[in-house]
Each structure stands twice: as structure tokens, then as C-alpha cells.
Amino acid sequence: MRLGAGTFAACCVAIEVLGIAVFLRGFFPAPVRSSARTEHGAEPPAPEPSAGASSNWTTLPPPLFSKVVIVLIDALRDDFVFGSKGVKFMPYTTYLVEKGASHSFVAEAKPPTVTMPRIKALMTGSLPGFVDVIRNLNSPALLEDSVIRQAKAAGKRIIFYGDETWVKLFPKHFVEYDGTTSFFVSDYTEVDNNVTRHLDKVLKRGDWDMLILHYLGLDHIGHISGPNSPLIGRKLSEMDSVLMKIHTALLSKEREMALPNLLVLCGDHGMSETGSHGASSMEEVNTPLILISSAFQRKLGDIRHATRVQQTDVAATLAIALGLPIPKDSVGSLLFPVVEGKPMREQLRFLHLNTVQLSKLLQENVPSYEKDPGFEQFKMSERLHGNWIRLYLEEKHSEVLLNLGSKVLRQYLDALKTLSLSLSTQVAQYDMYSMMVGTVVVLEVLTLLLLSIPQALHRKAELEVPLSSPGFSLLFYLVILVLSAIHVIVCTSAESSCYFCGLSWLAAGGVMVLASVLLCVIVSVLTNVLVGGRPQRKKPIHPSSRWSELDLLILLGTVGHVLSLGASSFVEEEHQTWYFLVNTLCLALSQETYRNYFLGDDSEPQCGLHVEQGLDRVAAAWQGGPGCDVLERGKGHGSPSPSEVHQGSKKWMVLASPWLILACCRLLRSLNQTGVQWAHRPDLGHWLTSSDHKAELSVLAAVSLLVVFVLVQRGCSPVSKAALALGLLGVYCYRAAIGSVRFPWQQDSKDISKGIIEARFVYVFVLGILFTGTKDLLKSQVVAADFKIKTVGLWEIYSGLVLLAALLFRPHNLPVLAFSLLIQTLMTKFIWKPLRHDAAEITVMHYWFGQAFFYFQGNSNNIATVDISAGFVGLDTYVEIPAVFLTAFGTYAGPLLWASHLVHFLSSETHSSSALSHACFCYAMICSIPVSTYIVLVTSLRYHLFIWSVFSPKLLYEGMHLLITAAVCVFFTAMDQTRLTQS
């Protein structure tokens, strides 16, 4: 079967996406879960251990507290309470921590440090899967067992005010609630006032058992201006006042109650030095946890230091405090200081219930649980506990009883610690079978792409794919038989759940057939190469075997980048790799430009990075030889004489262009500090986004939008020019409406809004420009002779994407968009045309600059740098498909805009019918090599210390990037088919 190189590449990337999806499903394992379903009703509690006599305690212990109030302050770092900021801005809380009736802890939140997974950890005690960071955008109802579910089943009345994520996770669990949206980050005042306004009324009432308050203002301030903003201190003072009001009200009510009340102050996650969260830095994972109650009275001179605990310990502690069963999936342990004031028998009862719950969870998730040290310690503790009960029933007061009780207590605490650790490590139990299936498919595709290079990059850009051979091949049926046997053996002997085994036989069989076909095609192509000798006897695309400096740079740069992915530090600081590569590329282009002008070269023109024999031969060289998809003058461009090229400003612009591009890249690097090591350092972006420099930001945003218009409008139709101008004006109006920038006549930003009308105004023009471009492309297929229609249509699609990016970018990032367009203009006019690179080299340069601009935006391989606010521009409620699309486009705007520019450039500046096919194949190849290598690396490094904090987020980015690449290749193929239709 004969396919074009572009179509073949697009099909390969689509198959690769399937392989990556299977691999990701196996790599991100299902979290530890109990097999007992919550809907089947509560199990009876484990009876108290006995030794020879039946126990008289078979029920749950009574609650320790009458009412529980949870105050969760989003993004509350531990040093905001226990550090200098706490002393200065939270005096009442500091007094309670140092001298009051309280217990203080530093609770460690496991990555990903975003709100929804952290709420799940606090209420269920389980460790959410890493992919929960994606579900954070639209939290589904939580089906797992939780403290909230148990409290509702026990008849507890729960009231909630704050982040609406709770309402989505626990629908129909609250007798009263008022949810606030968590994504409108410009608001840090009303979002908290909407919570506090209910306090006076609800604290006077006694018709509730549990009150949960989730304050978002601190997190929003962090996103806007970082942890060192003066707004942080004011917000902490506000929270201190709220805490004092609640504590005072609870104390006044205790006189009427038999049991004390409990006030819990905690954070869901911390805040990085840039104000974001999602990763695993100390500032993001360390949160304060303060338990305040009159039951925790301390003696004079009793100094209590904040000890380190796990955030998952909160669920078990709250369950015991409320007299509820511990959630079945909890891997946390009881915070013992809460019960240490109780009689010994009650303390042991609490610890026994916790260890029984953890041991059951261990039995259901670890086949060899009997050999686990934690389980052995539990059994020993239970035997000692039974002996203690027998002695207790015989004589209730003796020194022997006290000593044995202390020993059992220590044994239980050790067992709890070991069991909790064992269950936590189960999160790293990978589905190796699914991972191997995905890896095999991806590596087969990469091998096929590598073997197809000679044919795909040939002048005709076509290749013969032997798809018919597998149907008549004994090897195909043999491989199918072997894979089926392996599938049956693995799925019938698997000790843990396997995603691929859970698929229907039709789906699993389809994947096995696909893997078999790919293997047979690879064997067939390899046989033709080895047995038939060189498959291509015709003139190849590169007539000369001499490698240019740019060819070597591309090869070494690609290999170096791929090898760097095996080191955690290089993954964290990958932006440095791309900055180095584009800077080196500019220096190589500068060297070639100087050699072109001053040295001359008598060699024949080549289709690599070929430099002609001096500018007196430029015009002749631009008529490249057969087989070369080099750049030719499009219609409407006359060939300049050598003297015209030598003279005037053009000569110096050609010489200066690489250095101008270098200067632009250096300025962009100072705009956003990214990565990990230097992310905390001040940058121009933070200076611009501070409230003191709103005027400077407004001027910069306006100038950037003006530059964008000047650079984009040159290729648009008059109607699209007007739409672009109005759209860019609407972008500024939108940012002014939400308070990011201001107009000269505005004195303050009190009248801020969500800017929904302004954003939708821009969307109208985005869709209009895209529609106009699509119409021109369709028209160009009918009017084949009019080449200009297609060129204008492609540019208008590109212009629509630029306008959309301008709307989604933060104001301080608009210069990134302007510089991207400026660099593209410089490269087009003064680099690619005079030096006549071929389609493969131009494709690689577009890819490299696209990757660099991904990091210039402030992105990194850290989940915390994803700007989720882009997904809510113009939306007043969460709508999943638009939100996901806008967030993805806002994140990958750099690579997408450079890929779109590549399609337009090759369509308008070359007359070779194979240019787009070559570009599509090269784009697919250069994207496939890193992702294929990376999944092999993460498989071998799956037990690395930084697998979840460094390598896993990068894996998600690679998977999403491959999906974006598939979309780009489909676009390439569609444009290539249009070109073939016209020709």
C-alpha cells in the first residue's frame, strides 16, 4: 500500500497516542482500596481483644467531642503560622499554639498539591492517584468511604461554607451549604466574605454537629502576587480574627454541653515561592495542623513542639473524635496526643480499632501480607492487648498493669507506623503488563518511522507500506497466538488488578492484532533493506553526502536532549536545555550568514543548510536542483539582482538577524523564572504583576498588542484585519475588566468583574477569523489556479490562533507572543529565504523554537505552572470541553503557533509538492523520539526517589504533547492533500 509520508506519519502518531494511553493507565496505578463497598452498610467494629475470656466491649467508643469545626485555609503554609508571619499577623493563633489548650503539627501533603486530591486525603485518609490533578478541574462525586459519609450515616448534621469543590465531592451530605468558585483568582475579598458572613448566625445555633469552612482568599493572593505580597499579612490577620471568633463562641457553648468542642485549623497544601502549588517543594507540602480544645489543657511549663505527621492521619483522628468508624480506605494513623488524656483502656481501644482497619486494608491489597513487618507487629500487639485486658479485669490498679499497658501502647504505635508506611508504598505498585503493552506499541511505531526515513524523505515523499503481507504471513498468526497465550497466562495469574486484563477480548484482541501487524511490517521493511540492498536508487533529497553544521547541530541537539531526560535535575530544568539549543542554533545561523557574505563557497547548492557561493549567486541558487524542496520565491516576489541584495539595509539585517533573535530570547528568559532551582528568584514578570506597577504593565500590554497587530495584519484580508484589530482591543478591555490592567482614565480597580462579556466579544472575532480562513481553504480546493487564496486562508487561521492566544495569555506574557511573531518574521525574511534551508531543517527549527517558547511562557515540567485560569476565560460556570481545550491551548500555545506558522510558510514559500509531507514526517519523528525514550526511562526509574515529584509530571506533559502533535500532523496531512488536489 502506497502512502504519502505525511499521511503515514499522522497514522503512526495516532497509534503512538494509543500506546501512550495504555502505558499511562498502567504507570499511574490504582490507589489502595478496600474491597468492602460502602453501600453495603457499616461493618460491626472489631471487638476488644480477649485472652481466654470474652470481651465486654464490642461497640464503637463514644465521641470525644460534642461539635467539630474545621477551618481549612487554602494554601496555608506552615511558616505562615509557626514562623515570623504567624507571630506578626496571627497573634491569637500563636498564643493558642504556644500557651493554649492545643496540639500543633506540621502535616505533610503528598503531591500533587492541588485542592481536590488534598480534600480527599483529609476526609478519606487515602492517597489520591497522581492523575487526580487532572480531575481537580471538575471534581466528580466522591464514592470512597470518608469521614463525611460516616458522619451523615450516623445522623450527624454537617454545614459547609466555602470552596464548591466540597459540594461536588459530597453532594447531598450537607444540611446547609454555600459554595464559592475557586477559579476566579482575581477575587480574594468577596470569596472569603461569603464564608464569614454566615458565622455569627451559625455559631449561635446548636442544630449542627460539624461545621466546615474553606477559605480561598489566601490561595488567590498567592496566585496573583506570591507569598511575599503585603496582601498576605492582611489576609492572615483576617483569618486570625475569624479563628478567635469561632474559638470564643465554642468555649462559651461548652458550659451547656457534656463534652468539649474541637476546632481544627489546617491547610490543604502550601504555596511555592512563586505563589503557585501542585509540586513537591517543602513550601508546597508542609501545612499547619492545629487541634484546639479545652480537653487539651496543658500544665504549667508544658512546651509542645509541632511534630511532623501525614495529612492522611486527619481522617482517622476525626473519626475517633466523632465516635465514627475509620474510613475503610484510610492509610493514616490516629494522632495519639488527641487521646493521651483518656484512661489506658480507652487509649488501647482507639489504637486497636485503627490497627485492625489498617491490617484489613493490607490483607486486601498485599498478597503476602502475613510476612509484612507491620502485620506481625499488629498480631503481637493484639496478643499483648488481650493479656492486658485479662489482667485489667482481674485487678484494675497495679504497677504491673500500668507497665504492661505502656508496653502495649508502644507496640500499637509502632505497628500503626509500620502499617501506614507499608500501605503508602503500595501506591507504587505498577501495572507492569499494561505498561509493557503500551511500550511495545510505541517502540514498534518508532522503529517503523526510523526504517522509513529513506523513502519518506525522498523527493516524492511516498513510501510503500506492506500492509497486505501480514494477512498472508505465518509470522503474523504465530505472533497473535503467542500474544494471546501471554495475555491469558498473565490475566489468570495476576495477583493484583490489571487494566489491560480488564478490557474486553475485542479491545484487547484489537491491540494485539495491531502490535502483530506493526511487527510484521517492520520485519518486511527490514528484510527489503537487508536483502534488496539500498531501496532507493533514484536521486535522494540530499544529493551530497556532506553534513552541514546545522545538520550536525540538529542531530547532536536531539540526541543530547533525549539523553538528558534520564536525569531528574535536567528534567526539572529542561528549559535550560531548550534555551541552550536555540541560542546555539542562532550562533550556527550567524556563522553561516557571515560565511555566505564574506568568504564565499564554490560548491554546488545543497538541500541541507546550504550557503551559496556569495550573494552574487543567490538568485541562481534559489532555483534549487531537482529533488530539493528548497525555498523558492512565491508569486508576487521578484528575484533580486545580486547588487540589490548586497546593498541597503537588507544586507545588514541578514547579518544582524541571528543576533537580534538572540537578544529577544535573552529578554524573554528574564520575563519568567521557571524550573525549580531558580524559580524563586525575582523576575520581570513578578515585578510587572505587583500592584505597584500596574501602569507599567498596562503600557507594556498595550504596546505588545499593537506589535501583534502590525506583524499579523500584513497577510490578512481587509475584513480579517478589522476583526483582528477589534479582537485585540477586546483583549485589553477584558484584562481591564478583571483588574489586571487599566485604561488611562481609570483611577482604581474597584469595579472589577469576571470580564465575561468582553471575553465573549473576543471569541466572536476569533471564530470569525477562523471561519474566514477555513472558507478560503475550501475555496482554494475548487479554484485550484488561485494559489493566493490558500495562502491567505492559512494565514487567517494562524491569525485566529494568535488572537486566541492573546486573550488567554496573562498580560505580562503578551510580550512573549509579540516576540514570537517578531522572531518568526525575522527568520522568514532574513534566514530561511536567503540560506534556502530544506523542509526538514525548517521543521526542526520551528519545533525547537516552539519548545523554547513553551518555557518562555513560564511553563515547566511542574504541574504548578499550568495556568488553569485560561480555561475559564469567558465562562461563568465550568464547562468541561471548552475548559480543557482552552487550558491545553493556553499551555501549548508556543508549539501550536510555531507549527501553524510552519504550515503557512512551507505552503507559501516553496513550490515543492513534497515539502509538507517531509515536514509532517520530520515533526512526527522529532516528537516521537523523546516520548518513546522517556517511557523506557521512567519504567527503569519507577522506584526512583523523585519518580512522583519529577518524572511523573513530565510523563503527563509528554503524553499531552504527543496528543497535540497528533493534531498538528492531521493538520499537516489535510493541507498536504489540498496541495496534491491542486497539483
Side-chain angles (χ1 to χ4, degrees):
M1 180 179 181
R2 182 164 291 277
L3 291 175
T7 305
F8 173 75
C11 293
C12 285
V13 176
I15 297 173
E16 211 168 5
V17 169
L18 172 64
I20 287 293
V22 175
F23 179 87
L24 289 176
R25 186 57 183 81
F27 182 82
F28 293 105
V32 172
R33 291 288 181 265
S34 171
S35 59
R37 305 306 302 166
T38 55
E39 58 266 20
H40 291 167
E43 296 180 0
E48 194 176 43
S50 60
S54 60
S55 171
N56 60 352
W57 199 347
T58 58
T59 59
L60 281 173
L64 304 178
F65 303 97
S66 176
K67 296 181 184 296
V68 174
V69 179
I70 300 175
V71 180
L72 192 156
I73 303 176
D74 210 292
L76 184 66
R77 274 178 15 181
D78 63 327
D79 60 330
F80 285 176
V81 176
F82 302 135
S84 58
K85 282 188 173 69
V87 175
K88 183 177 181 181
F89 299 112
M90 304 186 76
Y92 188 77
T93 306
T94 301
Y95 169 79
L96 292 176
V97 168
E98 295 180 351
K99 300 178 181 179
S102 67
H103 291 294
S104 303
F105 308 90
V106 175
E108 180 183 351
K110 298 293 186 184
T113 48
V114 291
T115 297
M116 190 272 281
R118 296 301 97 221
I119 294 175
K120 289 177 66 175
L122 285 166
M123 292 296 107
T124 67
S126 62
L127 291 173
F130 201 92
V131 182
D132 277 325
V133 68
I134 300 172
R135 303 173 70 190
N136 184 60
L137 294 176
N138 186 26
S139 309
L142 185 62
L143 302 179
E144 303 165 34
D145 194 13
S146 65
V147 175
I148 301 293
R149 179 188 290 269
Q150 293 287 1
K152 184 176 186 294
K156 305 283 186 184
R157 295 175 61 84
I158 312 170
I159 296 177
F160 170 77
Y161 305 118
D163 185 356
E164 63 184 359
T165 303
W166 289 77
V167 182
K168 295 178 181 178
L169 287 173
F170 306 105
K172 302 180 181 179
H173 285 71
F174 305 120
V175 296
E176 182 180 321
Y177 65 87
D178 184 9
T180 57
T181 181
S182 59
F183 294 107
F184 186 33
V185 296
S186 297
D187 173 26
Y188 52 82
T189 304
E190 291 300 322
V191 73
D192 286 346
N193 291 342
N194 286 336
V195 177
T196 306
R197 66 189 175 95
H198 297 283
L199 283 183
D200 290 332
K201 180 177 65 174
V202 78
L203 289 174
K204 291 178 182 178
R205 292 157 41 189
D207 59 344
W208 53 271
D209 303 292
M210 194 172 181
L211 173 63
I212 303 173
L213 310 171
H214 189 148
Y215 284 93
L216 289 164
L218 186 70
D219 178 67
H220 289 186
I221 292 173
H223 283 295
I224 294 171
S225 53
N228 299 315
S229 167
L231 297 173
I232 292 288
R234 298 177 209 164
K235 182 57 67 176
L236 292 177
S237 297
E238 178 188 338
M239 295 296 100
D240 193 53
S241 301
V242 168
L243 196 75
M244 182 172 64
K245 175 186 289 189
I246 297 172
H247 187 224
T248 304
L250 291 179
L251 289 177
S252 65
K253 289 285 185 179
E254 283 188 2
R255 304 188 188 98
E256 309 166 6
M257 301 175 181
L259 293 174
N261 297 318
L262 175 64
L263 173 59
V264 180
L265 173 66
C266 62
D268 55 346
H269 51 75
M271 182 189 300
S272 70
E273 287 300 322
T274 61
S276 59
H277 53 87
S280 58
S281 67
M282 295 296 289
E283 293 81 9
E284 291 169 90
V285 301
N286 288 341
T287 65
L289 173 62
I290 305 174
L291 307 179
I292 305 167
S293 174
S294 58
F296 304 148
Q297 293 293 343
R298 67 176 77 189
K299 298 177 182 178
L300 187 63
D302 182 8
I303 300 176
R304 299 173 181 174
H305 298 286
T307 55
R308 294 189 64 85
V309 297
Q310 296 299 313
Q311 201 177 58
T312 49
D313 297 338
V314 174
T317 304
L318 287 176
I320 294 295
L322 291 167
L324 304 171
I326 297 173
K328 297 180 178 66
D329 299 327
S330 172
V331 299
S333 55
L334 170 67
L335 298 176
F336 183 68
V338 174
V339 300
E340 64 181 349
K342 298 295 178 179
M344 179 64 73
R345 187 178 185 184
E346 292 185 27
Q347 294 182 39
L348 295 179
R349 176 65 172 153
F350 294 139
L351 295 174
H352 177 249
L353 288 172
N354 197 180
T355 50
V356 167
Q357 177 263 325
L358 291 178
S359 64
K360 285 183 178 180
L361 194 61
L362 187 75
Q363 292 177 51
E364 294 168 358
N365 288 275
V366 180
S368 57
Y369 66 90
E370 293 179 346
K371 299 179 182 179
D372 189 270
F375 188 79
E376 294 175 353
Q377 288 178 327
F378 160 66
K379 285 300 182 183
M380 175 65 72
S381 304
E382 204 170 37
R383 283 194 296 270
L384 290 175
H385 191 183
N387 294 333
W388 186 91
I389 290 294
R390 184 183 61 183
L391 188 62
Y392 174 81
L393 296 176
E394 293 175 357
E395 46 179 319
K396 293 191 176 183
H397 303 286
S398 72
E399 187 175 347
V400 175
L401 185 68
L402 181 62
N403 292 336
L404 181 58
S406 300
K407 182 178 180 181
V408 178
L409 202 66
R410 291 192 299 270
Q411 191 76 20
Y412 267 132
L413 291 174
D414 290 342
L416 276 176
K417 184 177 180 181
T418 309
L419 283 169
S420 181
L421 182 62
S422 298
L423 287 166
S424 298
T425 57
Q426 290 303 307
V427 176
Q429 297 300 310
Y430 300 94
D431 179 2
M432 289 302 299
Y433 182 44
S434 300
M435 290 171 62
M436 288 299 102
V437 171
T439 302
V440 167
V441 172
V442 171
L443 292 181
E444 283 181 331
V445 170
L446 178 63
T447 304
L448 191 56
L449 284 171
L450 291 172
L451 291 174
S452 303
I453 289 177
Q455 293 184 68
L457 293 185
H458 188 261
R459 176 171 54 87
K460 291 185 177 180
E462 292 181 348
L463 61 162
E464 188 68 34
V465 182
L467 290 179
S468 58
S469 60
F472 305 98
S473 170
L474 179 62
L475 176 63
F476 171 72
Y477 296 104
L478 182 61
V479 172
I480 284 287
L481 184 62
V482 171
L483 291 180
S484 301
I486 293 175
H487 185 70
V488 171
I489 293 172
V490 171
C491 294
T492 54
S493 63
E495 296 180 338
S496 58
S497 61
C498 173
Y499 169 72
F500 198 68
C501 292
L503 294 177
S504 65
W505 263 103
L506 182 62
V511 175
M512 288 186 281
V513 169
L514 178 63
S516 302
V517 169
L518 288 173
L519 180 61
C520 292
V521 171
I522 290 171
V523 171
S524 177
V525 173
L526 192 59
T527 302
N528 291 336
V529 172
L530 296 178
V531 176
R534 296 180 62 184
Q536 299 294 337
R537 295 294 179 183
K538 299 178 183 180
K539 187 172 182 179
I541 189 169
H542 291 279
S544 172
S545 60
R546 183 173 68 87
W547 282 57
S548 68
E549 290 87 345
L550 184 59
D551 295 329
L552 291 173
L553 175 60
I554 289 173
L555 176 64
L556 295 177
T558 302
V559 172
H561 169 249
V562 169
L563 294 178
S564 72
L565 297 178
S568 60
S569 297
F570 277 95
V571 172
E572 289 178 332
E573 309 297 329
E574 188 182 358
H575 61 285
Q576 301 287 5
T577 302
W578 289 110
Y579 295 166
F580 173 79
L581 289 178
V582 295
N583 290 345
T584 308
L585 175 63
C586 290
L587 293 177
L589 293 174
S590 176
Q591 185 263 347
E592 292 293 344
T593 304
Y594 287 147
R595 188 175 68 183
N596 180 39
Y597 270 86
F598 300 118
L599 297 182
D601 190 350
D602 294 332
S603 61
E604 291 298 319
Q606 301 175 38
C607 296
L609 170 64
H610 42 271
V611 183
E612 308 310 331
Q613 308 93 321
L615 288 188
D616 55 338
R617 299 187 181 181
V618 168
W622 278 23
Q623 308 297 326
C628 298
D629 53 343
V630 295
L631 303 185
E632 300 180 28
R633 293 237 171 226
K635 293 184 179 182
H637 296 276
S639 299
S641 65
S643 60
E644 289 176 333
V645 177
H646 272 291
Q647 63 187 356
S649 60
K650 185 172 182 178
K651 168 186 175 181
W652 299 109
M653 282 303 300
V654 171
L655 293 173
S657 289
W659 299 100
L660 289 175
I661 296 170
L662 266 177
C664 292
C665 292
R666 184 62 190 89
L667 287 173
L668 290 173
R669 288 181 61 177
S670 63
L671 186 62
N672 292 302
Q673 291 285 2
T674 186
V676 174
Q677 297 295 329
W678 296 279
H680 63 281
R681 292 188 177 181
D683 54 38
L684 187 57
H686 283 89
W687 183 84
L688 288 168
T689 52
S690 66
S691 56
D692 298 331
H693 303 108
K694 186 171 288 188
E696 291 85 347
L697 178 61
S698 302
V699 172
L700 182 64
V703 171
S704 299
L705 292 174
L706 181 61
V707 171
V708 169
F709 174 75
V710 171
L711 294 176
V712 173
Q713 58 83 30
R714 55 190 172 88
C716 296
S717 64
V719 175
S720 295
K721 287 181 182 179
L724 180 65
L726 292 174
L728 292 174
L729 180 61
V731 170
Y732 192 89
C733 292
Y734 164 71
R735 290 299 171 184
I738 66 174
S740 299
V741 298
R742 64 183 180 213
F743 287 103
W745 54 85
Q746 284 183 309
Q747 299 301 320
D748 51 46
S749 300
K750 290 183 179 179
D751 299 327
I752 63 173
S753 68
K754 293 184 179 181
I756 293 176
I757 296 176
E758 293 83 353
R760 291 177 178 177
F761 176 79
V762 179
Y763 283 138
V764 170
F765 292 111
V766 171
L767 294 175
I769 296 174
L770 292 176
F771 174 79
T772 303
T774 305
K775 182 195 68 174
D776 288 342
L777 289 179
L778 294 176
K779 184 178 179 182
S780 68
Q781 289 187 306
V782 179
V783 188
D786 195 348
F787 176 76
K788 186 178 180 181
I789 294 180
K790 180 184 178 182
T791 303
V792 173
L794 284 172
W795 186 261
E796 286 178 335
I797 289 180
Y798 173 70
S799 303
L801 297 179
V802 170
L803 179 57
L804 180 59
L807 176 63
L808 300 182
F809 276 20
R810 301 274 181 118
H812 76 278
N813 264 342
L814 288 174
V816 176
L817 184 60
F819 276 119
S820 176
L821 298 172
L822 179 62
I823 291 175
Q824 289 171 358
T825 303
L826 291 174
M827 296 285 281
T828 300
K829 290 187 175 181
F830 305 114
I831 300 294
W832 293 323
K833 288 183 180 179
L835 298 183
R836 292 198 314 114
H837 302 101
D838 65 13
E841 292 169 342
I842 293 174
T843 300
V844 174
M845 283 189 268
H846 273 83
Y847 178 82
W848 281 16
F849 272 101
Q851 290 299 103
F853 273 87
F854 173 81
Y855 294 103
F856 285 145
Q857 290 175 233
N859 293 317
S860 70
N861 291 324
N862 186 332
I863 298 296
T865 55
V866 176
D867 183 11
I868 59 174
S869 64
F872 298 85
V873 174
L875 303 179
D876 50 1
T877 58
Y878 179 82
V879 186
E880 185 170 2
I881 294 178
V884 171
F885 170 77
L886 293 174
T887 302
F889 182 84
T891 304
Y892 289 92
L896 283 170
L897 290 179
W898 278 85
S900 178
H901 182 270
L902 173 63
V903 175
H904 171 265
F905 179 80
L906 292 179
S907 299
S908 60
E909 299 296 340
T910 67
H911 288 166
S912 171
S913 60
S914 60
L916 280 174
S917 292
H918 291 157
C920 183
F921 184 86
C922 292
Y923 202 92
M925 173 69 70
I926 201 168
C927 291
S928 298
I929 293 174
V931 70
S932 304
T933 307
Y934 192 70
I935 63 172
V936 175
L937 289 173
V938 295
T939 301
S940 61
L941 297 172
R942 62 188 181 278
Y943 296 113
H944 193 280
L945 180 62
F946 301 132
I947 186 63
W948 296 116
S949 59
V950 178
F951 292 105
S952 295
K954 171 64 177 174
L955 185 59
L956 288 177
Y957 274 107
E958 286 293 335
M960 190 62 193
H961 189 206
L962 187 68
L963 186 62
I964 298 290
T965 301
V968 169
C969 288
V970 169
F971 185 54
F972 268 107
T973 304
M975 294 303 99
D976 191 32
Q977 295 302 319
T978 303
R979 189 182 196 87
L980 292 175
T981 302
Q982 293 178 357
S983 60

